[in-house]
Amino acid sequence: MSDKKYVVRVCLGTGCVSGGSLNVYEALKRDVESSGLKDITIDFTGCHGFCQRGPIVDIDPGSIFYSEVKEADVTDIVQLHLQEGKFIDRLFYRDPSTGEAIPSSQDIPFYSNQQRIILRNCGHINPENIDDYLAVGGYKALRKVLLKMSPEQVIAEVKNSGLRGRGGAGFVTGLKWEFCRRETGNEKYIICNADEGDPGAFMDRSILEADPHSVLEGMIIGAYSIGANQGYIYCRAEYPLALERLRIALRQMDEHGFLGDNILGSGFNFYIKIKEGAGAFVCGEETALIASIEGRRGMPRSRPPFPAQSGLWGKPTNINNVKTLASIPIIISRGSDWYSGIGTEKSKGTIVFALTGKVANAGLVEVPMGIKLEDLIHGIGGGILGGKKFKAVQTGGPSGGCLPASMLDSPVDYESLTAAGSIMGSGGMIVMDEDTCVVDMTRYFLSFTQAESCGKCVPCRVGTRQMLNILQRITKGKGKSGDIEQLERLAKTVKFGSLCGLGQTAPNPVLTTIRYFRNEYEDHINNKRCPALMCKELISFYILPEKCRGCTICFKNCPVGAISGSKKLIHIIDHEKCIKCGTCLEVCPKRFSAVVKVSGEKIKVPEKPIPVKK
Amino acid sequence: MYKQLAEIFKQYEGEKGAVITVLQKVQEKLGYLSKEAISGVAKFFRMSESEIFGIASFYAQFRFTPRGKHAVKVCLGTACYVRGGEEIMKTAEKNLGIDRGGTTEDYKFSLERVACFGCCALAPVMLVDKNVHTKMNLSKVREVIKRYQGEK
């Protein structure tokens, strides 16, 4: 690749494709070909991580980073950059505070403040080309393991690295492998858990789409260590692109002798099958996942026996998350001492987050364990969207906790998050601003976990439903005193009385929001007021008589005809008819800003439309 | 029906734990799992129909009624929800005249909620068939649906 004058890489991750990057890629190929330029490679990559600024085009040399590229920009990229060597200023990322253009991705704070180990290849290689992976040192770790190390040595190395499961529970990976290794019998299984079901999380998907080989290499190394000859990848059917890239990767591995009988002449045999998950959040739990692979309902069972003793078809089975496996090859290549030098005392290495919600730089980020929430959200994430005020951050998906501004200086690691009442989880991180109602958010999370409860344990099945009912009542302005205490009691019962992680963690959002935002609950219950102006039953829209210019735009757009008025008359909303959809607020011209949303207060307006004041 | 599905069954003869995979293939072929299809699958695995239906109804992916020509999907994953996904859904429901999970009488549209497409940075997101519509607002929803309603 290095003998080429320019290498142009277009991001074809899910985010950028949604933004139209496929058209950009096709146009680039077409234009370069028709221009007759030589020594230029047009290639594509998986997710770069900076999804907020997509579609992304990256040009080497210089890691020139063009953001929000449209098909119409392709002509300029080809003519100016590739032909004349001139950069295109308008496509550069700009520092939001200074407005200064930053040409190279290495200098953009979003990237320069990250430490990319698991995502090391994401955005840099073509995920559908095994040669790209080999060129960056791929499968060297596998060679080293199979030809020079005993399974015990590999396990010792992984244990020494301090790597803990990145799926959420944070169990020490080397120890997990060791348990499975110790089991006798020659039929064992290794499973890659790619059933990423958290809404708002896309870490595993992005890795599988951008760098499938590092996950698969880690999987073979794991299989060799525990003594398994058959592996399964359990991946959501909702991830068609990830599945396609996995299938391509498996085919190429087969051709290169990394799969099948006698891998690299070591005498070790290994095969991988893909199983498509059919959409059940609970299947992320190990025993439920195993039941699902066996073709049954994905319901968890009590442990022990642990899967390491009796898993898939009753045989010893080891299950690891995508990110855990993707960490393995680099731990083997660079050594466990290097890895354990990153992070905190008990939480080693790095962690990948899908940073989303009301944050300026939403996307996929990787940081060392122990980073402060503040540095993550404000440093890398660029702060809150639209200059609003930070309210809370939710870690660990729908079963994690909501942490307030006062926790922003606490470090991100397994222990600190647990102490704060949240969990690390798989890596979802959702930022909320002052316009987000935490009571409504909690109701939302509960509606998810309630629907996904498999129904086996009564406290989870009934308890989540009861909590949801109470939360629904509160958000509708029908809360009553004692509701908060009742929620707390239910939450504790559900946590205590459930077999699996889903039930044990589902009450986390309830407990943390009551702990940190009790006043918002009280406002809803006692004052029938939603401070974030989000709960529909508690808000009203008004047209301010002194600001309305009688332009009729809201009148024309109201879907239920709740607005009366005509040209040059002050418009009035009929609150009986209003469905509180917010269309009037959305369409009212900025220069008038006559529509307001309020909660717990009334605004005086004329009884019927009167002429606007001159 | 069994004959129609024999092609699929043949590939999974003797494979352990293939129920879900076979159901997925059947749905891919027929668009949904009809009563007859479930009977066929039950017969193939020598299991009862209720067992097969029990497995299928556990998973969100399986449908038991035919879908409309266009699948409208509104994301209600956390990131989309925070940025107003619920309003997008309600507007879609209103404009299509069906609730989430429903299909229009003329079988032209089905409306579904999904939890996360993985393009959270572009939230809120709505899909019509394979076309992703990003950074939606209420008027954009109406526009998009109108466009599809207008086509013959």
Side-chain angles (χ1 to χ4, degrees):
Chain A
M1 278 189 287
S2 51
D3 54 338
K4 296 279 185 181
K5 196 169 162 208
Y6 288 112
V7 181
V8 184
R9 295 190 188 88
V10 182
C11 178
L12 293 189
T14 300
C16 282
V17 169
S18 311
S21 70
L22 214 53
N23 294 341
V24 173
Y25 176 63
E26 294 300 334
L28 269 168
K29 278 205 302 194
R30 192 184 58 222
D31 282 15
V32 166
E33 203 183 286
S34 64
S35 71
L37 283 167
K38 294 273 178 301
D39 303 327
I40 287 171
T41 304
I42 308 288
D43 209 345
F44 68 90
T45 66
C47 184
H48 273 253
F50 206 173
C51 312
Q52 183 87 35
R53 298 288 170 162
I56 290 166
V57 174
D58 182 87
I59 303 178
D60 265 331
S63 306
I64 302 304
F65 184 87
Y66 289 142
S67 60
E68 297 180 51
V69 179
K70 308 212 168 35
E71 201 181 334
D73 297 317
V74 167
T75 322
D76 277 358
I77 294 179
V78 175
Q79 270 183 9
L80 298 176
H81 194 135
L82 303 182
Q83 227 156 7
E84 298 171 24
K86 287 182 196 150
F87 295 160
I88 302 150
D89 192 72
R90 69 165 195 278
L91 297 175
F92 285 149
Y93 171 79
R94 273 167 209 285
D95 187 299
S97 48
T98 62
E100 188 198 348
I102 308 177
S104 167
S105 62
Q106 287 152 5
D107 303 321
I108 297 173
F110 177 80
Y111 288 110
S112 59
N113 290 330
Q114 293 190 44
Q115 183 172 7
R116 295 192 149 211
I117 293 175
I118 299 171
L119 302 177
R120 59 194 178 276
N121 299 324
C122 296
H124 300 297
I125 63 169
N126 179 332
E128 295 183 7
N129 185 351
I130 195 170
D131 292 328
D132 266 24
Y133 184 64
L134 292 169
V136 293
Y139 291 108
K140 273 192 183 150
L142 179 69
R143 203 173 287 275
K144 180 173 163 189
V145 163
L146 291 185
L147 304 178
K148 291 187 188 136
M149 293 170 84
S150 70
E152 287 76 13
Q153 281 173 321
V154 180
I155 290 173
E157 188 71 358
V158 174
K159 258 166 85 178
N160 188 49
S161 74
L163 174 67
R164 293 167 66 173
R166 292 292 189 258
F171 194 77
V172 179
T173 305
L175 216 53
K176 202 172 182 180
W177 286 10
E178 193 173 59
F179 289 150
C180 202
R181 170 92 212 152
R182 276 201 217 130
E183 293 298 315
T184 49
N186 46 16
E187 195 184 338
K188 292 182 189 175
Y189 297 98
I190 184 167
I191 299 171
C192 169
N193 184 350
D195 189 43
E196 184 174 54
D198 289 21
F202 50 96
M203 304 75 58
D204 296 355
R205 165 194 204 141
S206 302
I207 295 166
L208 291 172
E209 286 177 4
D211 186 21
H213 284 288
S214 62
V215 180
L216 296 166
E217 185 178 5
M219 195 169 168
I220 313 175
I221 295 171
Y224 171 75
S225 311
I226 63 170
N229 299 115
Q230 179 66 53
Y232 286 92
I233 299 169
Y234 188 86
C235 181
R236 298 178 79 193
E238 293 95 323
Y239 285 1
L241 187 59
L243 284 162
E244 186 192 323
R245 293 203 171 142
L246 275 170
R247 292 201 172 97
I248 293 170
L250 288 177
R251 219 165 32 237
Q252 293 174 341
M253 287 166 76
D254 211 23
E255 287 159 14
H256 281 73
F258 298 128
L259 267 188
D261 289 332
N262 193 19
I263 298 172
L264 300 173
S266 63
F268 176 66
N269 311 329
F270 188 60
Y271 313 87
I272 296 177
K273 266 190 196 161
I274 296 175
K275 280 272 180 182
E276 289 183 31
F281 178 63
V282 70
C283 286
E285 200 276 344
E286 295 196 340
T287 57
L289 190 156
I290 288 171
S292 181
I293 292 184
E294 290 175 349
R296 297 183 285 125
R297 288 175 149 228
M299 288 165 114
R301 60 162 175 79
S302 60
R303 296 171 296 177
F306 289 92
Q309 289 118 34
S310 174
L312 191 57
W313 290 300
K315 305 291 179 198
T317 303
N318 173 74
I319 303 178
N320 294 122
N321 171 265
V322 169
K323 297 175 289 290
T324 314
L325 292 174
S327 309
I328 298 290
I330 196 161
I331 289 175
I332 300 292
S333 313
R334 297 194 63 173
S336 57
D337 289 336
W338 163 79
Y339 189 82
S340 65
I342 304 163
T344 66
E345 196 198 330
K346 285 188 175 157
S347 301
K348 301 294 186 197
T350 54
I351 177 101
V352 180
F353 285 109
L355 190 60
T356 57
K358 304 277 186 76
V359 65
N361 300 336
L364 197 67
V365 304
E366 182 173 0
V367 289
M369 289 276 192
I371 188 175
K372 282 184 182 162
L373 273 171
E374 167 84 43
D375 296 335
L376 187 55
I377 295 166
H378 288 102
I380 296 172
I384 306 302
L385 207 60
K388 295 265 184 176
K389 224 173 105 194
F390 171 90
K391 183 185 241 172
V393 58
Q394 167 91 6
T395 69
S399 44
C402 275
L403 306 178
S406 61
M407 306 291 286
L408 274 176
D409 63 347
S410 65
V412 178
D413 60 54
Y414 291 103
E415 283 71 27
S416 310
L417 287 176
T418 308
S422 186
I423 54 168
M424 177 73 85
S426 179
M429 184 171 275
I430 290 130
V431 178
M432 301 164 204
D433 67 2
E434 53 192 323
D435 294 340
T436 316
C437 170
V438 292
V439 185
D440 183 66
M441 263 333 273
T442 310
R443 186 202 57 76
Y444 166 79
F445 287 128
L446 252 291
S447 72
F448 180 82
T449 38
Q450 186 270 325
E452 293 294 340
S453 169
C454 80
K456 184 167 184 166
C457 309
V458 179
C460 175
R461 182 178 71 223
V462 182
T464 51
R465 161 73 61 153
Q466 288 309 320
M467 284 195 284
L468 178 61
N469 286 348
I470 296 174
L471 287 164
Q472 260 161 358
R473 234 181 38 227
I474 297 176
T475 54
K476 287 191 170 151
K478 295 186 179 135
K480 46 186 192 221
S481 69
D483 273 351
I484 300 178
E485 292 71 22
Q486 177 75 347
L487 278 174
E488 285 176 321
R489 266 196 306 278
L490 283 165
K492 277 172 196 152
T493 311
V494 174
K495 251 178 175 309
F496 185 74
S498 302
L499 267 181
C500 85
L502 194 154
Q504 287 161 9
T505 56
N508 281 340
V510 177
L511 290 171
T512 49
T513 49
I514 292 178
R515 181 165 154 192
Y516 298 118
F517 299 96
R518 198 183 178 101
N519 56 342
E520 287 205 19
Y521 278 86
E522 286 165 350
D523 235 357
H524 280 77
I525 296 171
N526 303 332
N527 310 328
K528 311 296 173 211
R529 185 175 165 265
C530 174
L533 305 177
M534 206 172 147
C535 295
K536 276 224 163 148
E537 267 82 349
L538 303 178
I539 55 164
S540 352
F541 288 88
Y542 286 95
I543 299 168
L544 299 173
E546 68 274 16
K547 287 198 174 170
C548 178
R549 305 310 297 160
C551 72
T552 73
I553 290 182
C554 61
F555 169 79
K556 284 182 195 144
N557 279 282
C558 178
V560 291
I563 297 177
S564 50
S566 60
K567 237 182 171 38
K568 298 285 169 204
L569 290 183
I570 292 173
H571 288 53
I572 298 162
I573 297 174
D574 179 349
H575 294 277
E576 296 288 308
K577 283 190 192 162
C578 176
I579 54 163
K580 299 168 186 178
C581 67
T583 302
C584 48
L585 185 66
E586 202 181 273
V587 297
C588 181
K590 281 275 167 307
R591 60 184 191 279
F592 304 147
S593 296
V595 181
V596 290
K597 184 159 71 162
V598 295
S599 180
E601 59 176 303
K602 283 205 167 95
I603 288 172
K604 213 171 161 264
V605 293
E607 275 173 26
K608 53 183 188 205
I610 49 166
V612 297
K613 286 188 193 115
K614 287 275 154 64
Chain B
M1 178 58 73
Y2 194 90
K3 266 191 201 152
Q4 207 185 330
L5 301 175
E7 197 67 18
I8 296 172
F9 295 152
K10 216 164 64 193
Q11 294 166 43
Y12 295 94
E13 198 77 59
E15 190 176 313
K16 273 203 284 187
V19 178
I20 294 167
T21 319
V22 166
L23 287 171
Q24 284 169 332
K25 296 281 170 199
V26 171
Q27 177 161 296
E28 208 177 287
K29 190 179 161 88
L30 305 176
Y32 74 109
L33 298 176
S34 63
K35 226 171 147 182
E36 295 73 30
I38 291 196
S39 301
V41 175
K43 195 173 156 198
F44 172 67
F45 284 105
R46 296 204 177 86
M47 288 162 78
S48 72
E49 289 171 15
S50 64
E51 276 176 285
I52 297 294
F53 183 73
I55 293 168
S57 62
F58 184 84
Y59 295 97
Q61 192 188 4
F62 298 115
R63 302 183 293 258
F64 307 101
T65 47
R67 298 278 95 176
K69 183 178 160 211
H70 295 296
V72 180
K73 298 176 182 174
V74 178
C75 181
L76 288 180
T78 318
C80 283
Y81 185 79
V82 170
R83 292 193 189 176
E86 183 62 36
E87 289 310 309
I88 303 293
M89 177 57 109
K90 283 192 182 141
T91 310
E93 286 179 330
K94 227 175 131 4
N95 282 272
L96 290 170
I98 46 175
D99 288 337
R100 56 199 82 180
T103 301
T104 54
E105 271 176 25
D106 59 359
Y107 285 104
K108 194 159 180 190
F109 294 98
S110 293
L111 180 63
E112 283 170 55
R113 65 166 287 179
V114 286
C116 206
F117 291 113
C119 41
C120 311
L122 307 170
V125 177
M126 179 172 114
L127 243 85
V128 182
D129 304 326
K130 297 237 156 122
N131 298 321
V132 189
H133 301 272
T134 58
K135 298 187 183 169
M136 293 305 280
N137 58 35
L138 306 187
S139 27
K140 270 168 92 178
V141 176
R142 286 193 278 267
E143 249 168 61
V144 169
I145 291 178
K146 225 177 234 162
R147 209 156 62 220
Y148 282 92
Q149 279 171 335
E151 72 171 30
K152 287 272 152 67

